[in-house]
Amino acid sequence: MSQLDDQTAQIKERQEIAEADRWNLELMYPDNEAWELDYRSATDAAGDYRRFAGHLLDSPATLQEALTERDRIWQLVERVYVYARMRKDEDTRVALYQEMADRSQSLLAETAAKLAFLSPELLAAPAETIRSFIDQDAGLEIYRHSLEELLRKKPHILSEAEEAILAKTGQLLRATNDIFSMINNADMRFRPIRDENGCEIEVTHGRYIGLMESADREIRRQAFESMYASYEAQKNTIAATYNFNTKTDTVLAEIRRYPSALVAGLDDDAIPPAVYDNLIKAVHEALPDLHRYVRLRRKALKLDQVHMYDMYASLSDAEIEHIPYARALDMVAEGLRPLGEEYAAIMREAFTSRWIDVYENRGKTSGAYSFGSYDSPPYILLNYSGKLKDVFTIAHEMGHSVNSWLTRRAQPFVYGGHSIFTAEVASTVNENLLARDLLSRETDPARKLYLLNLFIDEFRATLFRQTMFAEFERWSHQVVEEGGVLTAELMSDYYLELNRLYFGPEVYYDEPIAMEWARIPHFYNAFYVYKYATGFSAAVALADGVLNGGQEKLAAYLDFLKAGESAQPLILLQRAGVDMS
């Protein structure tokens, strides 16, 4: 029996969720006092780091010691931050965890300020000096790629004083993200709706897509209107928040001497802006196929007009039963069997050691993610409700977590993270493998149609919709760069235009859809969403390789998962067998 049996059940408080279905953050810290000890240790270590200022290039050994100590400090700071952030995400209403998360963000900013001298001091020396140090000291060899990336970014690194100022204000520069998160997760409430029997259904972030997939069109319409009425009520506050978030992006790009926020946003991954623009161009060329799909949807659902709230309803009348969580784990394990025993063993560890926070509770952050520190389990936050789509979400987030687990055991801390450009490949390969496995096993025509529809909708939602989001982001930053202001009315008008362009003339554009920009949390992490679309494209090709390319292709893919940030994203994907350039 699941914690949430149907849409009419009330959302539980955190303490009502069974312990087995809550992640075990005690694997990071047994209690908050242990967290405090690390918080103080990190603060002290960052303060002591100043001893290296002016001495980084005294000798290769000194540079090696400084970089090793830098990594030790950041590993500790990361652990402190991740724990506090995940505690807050359990229930964003809890003041203690709000405070801890706020303090940890301050620690991030203060640490960055205290270590800000490092890059300018290194870049003040000739590049040949740094490269000769690497050649002289074997302990510096692991930093070769990291230091070459620093040299690549030299035109955008400021003076020590300027870098320290930017680092010190880091928490303020991220404030709009936190403000939106509190509005969206802690304060936002949606009016309840009624099912066909008159029973009240509570609308939440976690339930919304499930309601939009209902075979009952009236339920879909009510849920759609309930969701957007709440955003409409706060549209000016959210517009101001996003406007200043976008201003922050553009000002930081200008300070760092980038020609635009877009170029700045792509530079960490060394992605040419042409990749971004070509994605939008290629998707525009494919829009007639999406319009054809919308026509098919109207015909299959026997509708006079397709509304935006009809986009998630299945074209099949197959009854897809509630999927208990334990069954969902079995489905994921079976679908990902082609990835081999090493991959399967890590998943079993995740399932049995409480890496996963399973069910929705009041105040819990919406959506799903994989998160953790270099030396912690790669935890997963879910809001599982028993839908087939939730099973795909488990596969998706497990892709991130296994990627993190493999990388952290193969790479030193300096390369232990992931570019989002590559991380979204690891998650989407899993979704592709799961979909193909389920399709291969299904014999019932109606259920097979349901699965095909689900797979096609992944293309619609990931390739087309995320590219639409990317186009909105490009436009919104251009507006601010040209001196404009992003008002709720301006954004709604443009967003409605984009919907008409992408979904075509078959759709009736209900007024609330113009407000969709207001509920997209990824917009507060600039130029992120396009990576879902590029990652999906790469993932389809890599999944083909895993299934049909034999052990050589599988080995290349697993090597990709272990590579972390040890090379630029486009190079890593080329090694895995996909050329994204």
Side-chain angles (χ1 to χ4, degrees):
M1 182 68 69
S2 73
Q3 294 282 347
L4 180 62
D5 288 318
D6 56 47
Q7 296 287 3
T8 62
Q10 290 299 304
I11 302 301
K12 296 179 182 293
E13 294 293 339
R14 180 74 184 174
Q15 62 272 18
E16 297 178 281
I17 304 292
E19 183 181 82
D21 296 322
R22 288 179 278 162
W23 52 23
N24 183 10
L25 297 189
E26 287 73 20
L27 293 173
M28 294 187 74
Y29 291 108
D31 50 44
N32 292 339
E33 287 70 28
W35 178 87
E36 287 285 354
L37 289 175
D38 266 5
Y39 179 91
R40 289 195 290 271
S41 294
T43 302
D44 293 343
D48 291 343
Y49 194 78
R50 189 73 193 174
R51 71 185 185 276
F52 291 108
H55 299 286
L56 290 173
L57 296 174
D58 284 359
S59 69
T62 302
L63 178 58
Q64 194 270 338
E65 181 187 358
L67 294 176
T68 300
E69 176 63 7
R70 176 202 65 180
D71 290 353
R72 187 188 74 82
I73 292 168
W74 277 119
Q75 188 172 338
L76 190 58
V77 170
E78 178 191 70
R79 185 183 181 89
V80 167
Y81 170 76
V82 166
Y83 177 84
R85 159 76 186 278
M86 289 195 295
R87 281 296 189 204
K88 177 185 174 184
D89 287 348
E90 292 175 348
D91 187 343
T92 56
R93 303 168 302 173
V94 177
L96 171 63
Y97 295 139
Q98 290 177 15
E99 179 191 1
M100 287 171 62
D102 187 66
R103 288 172 61 203
S104 69
Q105 282 209 325
S106 295
L107 178 63
L108 285 173
E110 290 162 7
T111 302
K114 289 170 182 174
L115 275 60
F117 68 88
L118 193 148
S119 293
E121 186 173 321
L122 287 177
L123 292 175
E128 293 72 21
T129 300
I130 295 173
R131 292 182 178 124
S132 70
F133 273 27
I134 299 171
D135 293 336
Q136 294 172 51
D137 190 318
L140 281 172
E141 183 58 38
I142 66 167
Y143 292 106
R144 185 181 292 275
H145 171 66
S146 174
L147 291 170
E148 288 290 352
E149 281 295 284
L150 179 64
L151 292 171
R152 180 180 68 82
K153 295 176 183 177
K154 183 174 182 175
H156 310 292
I157 304 295
L158 309 179
S159 70
E160 177 185 340
E162 291 167 326
E163 288 291 344
I165 290 170
L166 279 182
K168 195 74 175 175
T169 59
Q171 187 177 9
L172 299 177
L173 298 174
R174 289 189 296 270
T176 48
N177 191 333
D178 291 346
I179 291 167
F180 175 76
S181 178
M182 293 304 289
I183 293 170
N184 203 42
N185 296 309
D187 297 339
M188 190 75 75
R189 289 288 180 271
F190 310 105
R191 66 172 183 254
I193 65 175
R194 299 279 177 182
D195 67 14
E196 63 273 18
N197 299 316
C199 297
E200 186 174 281
I201 303 174
E202 184 175 0
V203 178
T204 67
H205 287 294
R207 290 178 171 181
Y208 180 66
I209 295 300
L211 292 168
M212 295 300 288
E213 292 172 344
S214 172
D216 188 322
R217 197 181 194 200
E218 179 60 18
I219 288 177
R220 300 199 301 267
R221 183 192 64 77
Q222 289 183 65
F224 177 82
E225 293 177 354
S226 169
M227 175 68 66
Y228 287 109
S230 294
Y231 286 98
E232 175 74 25
Q234 301 205 47
K235 65 180 181 181
N236 294 314
T237 300
I238 297 174
T241 303
Y242 182 64
N243 180 59
F244 279 99
N245 187 82
T246 308
K247 278 182 180 290
T248 300
D249 296 335
T250 57
V251 169
L252 284 175
E254 185 178 346
I255 288 172
R256 291 204 176 276
R257 299 186 288 267
Y258 286 102
S260 69
L262 175 62
V263 175
L266 303 185
D267 191 48
D268 273 351
D269 294 331
I271 304 296
V275 171
Y276 195 98
D277 293 335
N278 286 340
L279 169 69
I280 294 173
K281 181 172 180 283
V283 168
H284 277 199
E285 291 170 356
L287 286 177
D289 292 318
L290 179 58
H291 300 167
R292 179 179 171 220
Y293 173 63
V294 172
R295 289 195 298 274
L296 175 65
R297 176 166 281 278
R298 178 179 62 79
K299 182 179 177 182
L301 294 175
K302 298 181 174 61
L303 302 174
D304 291 334
Q305 289 178 316
V306 177
H307 290 248
M308 290 305 295
Y309 52 76
D310 296 319
M311 285 296 176
Y312 291 90
S314 177
L315 303 187
S316 168
D317 58 4
E319 289 291 330
I320 304 298
E321 69 282 359
H322 178 279
I323 302 169
Y325 178 63
R327 170 63 183 143
L329 298 185
D330 290 341
M331 292 166 68
V332 170
E334 191 62 38
L336 303 186
R337 190 188 293 272
L339 294 172
E341 177 52 33
E342 180 184 16
Y343 202 102
I346 299 166
M347 287 198 295
R348 287 194 294 270
E349 176 74 8
F351 296 161
T352 58
S353 296
R354 290 177 54 206
W355 292 5
I356 306 175
D357 204 78
V358 182
Y359 298 107
E360 185 176 13
N361 59 254
R362 290 200 179 278
K364 183 177 175 181
T365 289
S366 62
Y369 65 60
S370 169
F371 199 36
S373 64
Y374 181 78
D375 51 7
S376 81
Y379 292 100
I380 293 174
L381 179 140
L382 300 175
N383 283 277
Y384 187 81
S385 64
K387 301 290 185 182
L388 183 59
K389 197 169 186 67
D390 294 333
V391 182
F392 279 86
T393 298
I394 296 171
H396 181 103
E397 300 306 337
M398 193 57 63
H400 288 309
S401 285
V402 177
N403 190 15
S404 296
W405 185 260
L406 290 170
T407 293
R408 291 166 188 169
R409 273 143 191 80
Q411 300 294 336
F413 176 78
V414 66
Y415 305 130
H418 298 97
S419 157
I420 301 300
F421 196 89
T422 57
E424 292 306 334
V425 174
S427 57
T428 314
V429 162
N430 282 11
E431 291 192 63
N432 270 265
L433 292 175
L434 177 60
R436 297 178 198 208
D437 178 70
L438 294 176
L439 279 167
S440 70
R441 294 171 182 277
E442 189 56 66
T443 57
D444 178 76
R447 291 174 67 91
K448 195 154 193 168
L449 174 59
Y450 183 94
L451 289 167
L452 281 168
N453 185 192
L454 192 71
F455 200 20
I456 291 170
D457 273 344
E458 282 301 308
F459 277 86
R460 177 184 62 79
T462 308
L463 187 62
F464 290 97
R465 188 165 177 260
Q466 297 295 337
T467 301
M468 184 178 77
F469 289 168
E471 190 164 0
F472 178 83
E473 279 195 285
R474 187 177 66 176
W475 167 83
S476 64
H477 284 78
Q478 286 172 346
V479 167
V480 172
E481 286 167 347
E482 293 168 4
V485 177
L486 295 169
T487 63
E489 182 178 6
L490 182 68
M491 287 190 282
S492 294
D493 287 347
Y494 183 74
Y495 196 86
L496 187 58
E497 282 181 32
L498 277 181
N499 266 267
R500 289 191 171 116
L501 171 67
Y502 274 74
F503 292 98
E506 294 284 334
V507 176
Y508 180 85
Y509 294 97
D510 305 85
E511 190 174 325
I513 196 60
M515 282 297 302
E516 188 175 37
W517 60 266
R519 58 176 285 256
I520 310 301
H522 291 91
F523 286 164
Y524 294 83
N525 187 352
F527 307 112
Y528 178 111
V529 293
Y530 89 98
K531 300 171 190 180
Y532 285 114
T534 55
F536 190 89
S537 303
V540 172
L542 288 170
D544 282 341
V546 168
L547 290 172
N548 305 313
Q551 285 302 308
E552 184 180 346
K553 289 286 189 181
L554 175 59
Y557 179 63
L558 293 176
D559 285 345
F560 164 77
L561 296 182
K562 296 172 183 177
E565 294 180 298
S566 60
Q568 291 179 353
L570 292 181
I571 292 172
L572 292 174
L573 283 166
Q574 281 178 336
R575 291 174 186 169
V578 179
D579 186 353
M580 297 297 293
S581 61

